[in-house]
Structure formats: C-alpha cells, structure tokens
Amino acid sequence: MVNTKLIIFGPPGSGKGTYSSRLKEIFGLEKISTGDIFREEIKKKTTLGNKIEKIVKEGKLVPDDIVIEVVNEKIKSLDNFILDGYPRTIEQAKALDRVTKIDAIIKINVHEEILIEKIAGRRICSNPECGSIYNIADINKTVEGITYVLPPIMPKNDMKCDKCGAPLIQRDDDKPEIVKERIKIYEKQSEPVLKYYQNENKVPFIEVWMNRPLEEIVEKIEKEINKLGIS
Ligand code: AMP
C-alpha cells in the first residue's frame, strides 16, 4: 500500500500495540509507537530518556513540545505509517495536522473492568530488540451487552519469550495503581482529541470492540481499511 497514514487509538492495554504490529505486517506500514520510543530512550539512558524517566514511570504525559519534536522527526520522510499512542492531546493533533494528512483513525473500544484485568495479565519480553507481548489473563464475560471472549496469549515455554527465549516481565507502568492513573489520564485527554477528529478534522473512524481474539479483530480492521480504499 502506498500513502497510508493511520492512527490507532485506544486506552492503555486495549491492544493497540499488538494491532498496529499486525497492521504493519499486513499493509507494510512503518509503526511509530511513542511509548516504545520513550521506553527505549529511558533504557539507553539518553539525554531525552533521563529527562522523561520520572514522568513515564508515574504514568503521566510527557510534555507536548518533546513528543511533537520526536514524532515530527520520525514521520518527515514517511508516506506509510501507523501512529500508536500519538496524538494524545489537541496540541499534538494540531501539530500533526501541520505536517501531514491522516487517512483514518482506528478506535478500539473496551470496558474499563476488562481493561484492568487484561493489563494486569500483560507480560512483555525483557529483550528490547524483541518486545513481544503476551497475556496471562483469561476473560470470558458479558459487560453491558458486549460479550468478551479473550483467551490468554501464553508463551510455549514457562514464562520465556517464544521468539528469543528471554524472560517475560511486567512493565513498570502496568502495575494496578499506575494503570488506573493511566486510564484516568487517557479518558481526560483523549475525549477532546477524538472530538477534534470527529468534528473539526473529519478523519474517517474505524471503530471496533476489543471483545474477541486478536486475529478476529485484526481481520475486521483490515476489511474496514480496505473498504475505505486508501492507497
Ligand atoms: P504507551 O505505551 O503508549 O502507553 O506510553 C507509555 C508512556 O509514555 C505514557 O504513559 C506516557 O508517559 C508516555 N507517552 C507515550 N506517548 C505519549 C504522548 N503522545 N504524549 C505524552 N506522553 C506519551
């Protein structure tokens, strides 16, 4: 696909990282995850990493000027990308508008109680070169008419990554008290951004519920993207 610019939107733990990795493979998109970029910078103890470490560990938002500069630098030479975790504020959305035109927004919906269960179960590969994601939570219930059937995504070998064999770990900001803070921040910050895209910018929305196993949701999103006829 040529010239496809997408944003994936969803609360922390809604699987947006995993969906965007799959969409990257399917459509040949460059995946840009601000969360991944920041975690990597922190791990490498770069100037940027040291500056933002405390903010990220507390689940707070990194200041707009820093995030905008990082993303603009990444996308300036790209025709195909999926943004994961950006924009999270109106300022960031407006800054993005100034440098490019977004074709569609993928919005993942999920009830909060499911999210908390799912985030508590998330495990990531400790090897930063790999970054594979697993989940030990096993969810099967209905909330407000939405039936969730979310089986665990387990590694084949006792809590070791299938791809590289490194031990699986829980992300610092996946701990329950931090998770709740992150959901609160997401709700407060995302509402105006989504409204901005719905009312002012009028970017097409692809909305899906995170209530079925990964591949089914990916297929749904893929069909919707193809329907929009972007390319
Ligand atoms: P994520 O993996 O997308 O949940 O991001 C992890 C953390 O990185 C967030 O809790 C923020 O501290 C920071 N972060 C990531 N993306 C942004 C953004 N667009 N604006 C501000 N902070 C961000």
Side-chain angles (χ1 to χ4, degrees), residues 12 16 34-35 38-39 55-56 59-62 67 85-86 88 92 171 173 182:
K16 60 187 165 53
T34 43
F38 292 148
R39 278 185 289 277
I55 302 171
V56 173
K60 304 229 169 74
L61 288 182
V62 172
V67 195
Y86 183 91
R88 267 178 161 92
Q92 293 176 15
R171 251 167 56 178
D173 55 356
R182 287 171 66 211

Side-chain angles (χ1 to χ4, degrees), residues 142-161:
T142 300
V143 184
E144 292 178 327
I146 304 289
T147 300
Y148 290 86
V149 182
L150 300 169
I153 305 163
M154 298 294 280
K156 291 189 187 77
N157 274 321
D158 190 36
M159 298 316 279
K160 296 244 166 48
C161 179

Side-chain angles (χ1 to χ4, degrees), residues 21-54:
S21 292
R22 289 289 293 118
L23 294 171
K24 168 187 163 163
E25 288 164 21
I26 294 167
F27 293 108
L29 307 170
E30 190 77 29
K31 179 188 160 191
I32 300 162
S33 156
T34 43
D36 285 350
I37 294 170
F38 292 148
R39 278 185 289 277
E40 188 65 19
E41 296 282 332
I42 291 168
K43 201 159 250 169
K44 284 189 188 153
K45 298 195 177 301
T46 61
T47 314
L48 172 64
N50 293 336
K51 203 158 141 189
I52 60 170
E53 182 167 14
K54 191 166 174 283

